[in-house]
Amino acid sequence: MPETDQLSLIDPLAPAEEKLTAWALIELFGHQRVVGKMTVDPPEFPGMVRVDVPDLLKDKKVVRKGFTRYLGRASIYGVTPIDEETVRDLLPSVDGTPARPLGLRSYSRNEEDY
C-alpha cells in the first residue's frame, strides 16, 4: 500500500480554523492602551490583531462612538484577557488614542529671569 501524502488529507473546502477572539486590555509601545474585542489574524489583515472598541455609553446615550483598530503584533507588549463588563468599565479612561506629550513651559529670555 503506497504512503499517503499528508497534504492530500486536507480538505480545501473545510472551514478555516477559528481565529482567537477575546475581550482584552491591549498595551502598546508608546504608552497606549486599547480595550475591546480582540481578534488575532483577522481574515482582512492576516498577521495583525484587530481590536473592536465598543461605544462608550453614559445614561444609555453614546458619548464616544466605537471604532476598530488594526495593530501590528510587534507594537503589542501586553495582552490581558478580561470580560466584557470590565472592558466597558475601562472605556472612559482607556480610549485607544495615543498618549499626549507633556508640554514644555515657555521661558522668556529677559535678563531678570536669570
Side-chain angles (χ1 to χ4, degrees), residues 58-79:
K58 185 172 183 180
D59 300 326
K60 297 185 181 182
K61 293 183 182 177
V62 176
V63 176
R64 186 178 65 232
K65 184 130 176 68
F67 57 93
T68 298
R69 273 185 80 176
Y70 292 92
L71 309 168
R73 290 181 181 192
S75 67
I76 298 171
Y77 72 86
V79 174

Side-chain angles (χ1 to χ4, degrees), residues 25-97:
L25 165 66
I26 299 99
E27 296 172 281
L28 308 167
F29 288 103
H31 303 285
Q32 296 181 52
R33 298 185 313 159
V34 181
V35 291
K37 190 150 202 171
M38 178 186 78
T39 304
V40 177
D41 283 331
E44 62 273 22
F45 290 108
M48 296 189 81
V49 173
R50 176 183 170 149
V51 182
D52 295 308
V53 178
D55 293 340
L56 173 60
L57 303 174
K58 185 172 183 180
D59 300 326
K60 297 185 181 182
K61 293 183 182 177
V62 176
V63 176
R64 186 178 65 232
K65 184 130 176 68
F67 57 93
T68 298
R69 273 185 80 176
Y70 292 92
L71 309 168
R73 290 181 181 192
S75 67
I76 298 171
Y77 72 86
V79 174
T80 306
I82 53 180
D83 60 19
E84 182 179 359
E85 183 180 347
T86 305
V87 165
R88 294 193 184 277
D89 288 345
L90 289 172
L91 274 175
S93 61
V94 180
D95 65 1
T97 58

